[in-house]
Amino acid sequence: MHLKADTRHRVDVTLNGRERGGYAEPRTLLSDFLRHELGATGTRVGCEHGVCGACTVLVDGRASRSCLMLAVQAQGRDLQTVESLAREGTLNDLQQAFRKHHALQCGFCTAGILISSTEFLTRVPRPTETEVREMLSGHLCRCTGYTGIVNAILEVADTRDYEVSGPTDKEQENNNV
């Protein structure tokens, strides 16, 4: 299908679990569509070249740079932004761990890192520190030095693993004493 450059086209998506729609010119970036047309302002625009990771959103469950995707390419897709993480005003476990470990300072990069970490932990539920750092290599943060971010992600991975598998034999033995 060929889209006319000088006209706005309807784009319908599922955004954070809700059917949403708006209009975009064929050249409108997904990041701009999310922020300006749909009001999802948690998605940040940094470098606009796919390098910094601030604009990362989930597209059909996969972490994607929204500054490298056109809004019209998102037609019919399932999108999740940082706004989807907290439920009823309560931060999720990853957001709470970021707060606990001081994994943010100015906060500009945080939304993209949280989204990438969310997707990463679904693919790699028990990551090593090296794996976490490798995933983070696609994000630029000028404030934290990454240590707090790495610690937060590793803590969530440990906690989620514990909740799924229950206590180890050693932990169970200590609880019975």
Side-chain angles (χ1 to χ4, degrees), residues 1-59:
M1 174 162 98
H2 182 61
L3 301 176
K4 289 186 174 186
D6 59 347
T7 59
R8 291 169 46 96
H9 301 273
R10 178 80 182 174
V11 178
D12 293 304
V13 298
T14 302
L15 177 62
N16 301 328
R18 292 182 42 221
E19 298 299 319
R20 299 285 308 275
Y23 291 88
E25 292 180 11
R27 64 188 174 137
T28 301
L29 298 175
L30 178 58
S31 56
D32 293 330
F33 179 74
L34 289 169
R35 291 181 58 78
H36 303 298
E37 188 72 15
L38 300 184
T41 56
T43 301
R44 303 286 190 244
V45 178
C47 68
E48 296 186 274
H49 296 286
V51 176
C52 75
C55 70
T56 304
V57 298
L58 295 180
V59 178

Side-chain angles (χ1 to χ4, degrees), residues 7 22 24 28 32 34 61 63 76 106 114 117 134 139 155-156 165 168:
T7 59
T28 301
D32 293 330
L34 289 169
C106 82
L114 284 167
S117 299
E134 185 175 300
H139 289 273
E155 178 179 288
V156 168
S165 65
T168 64

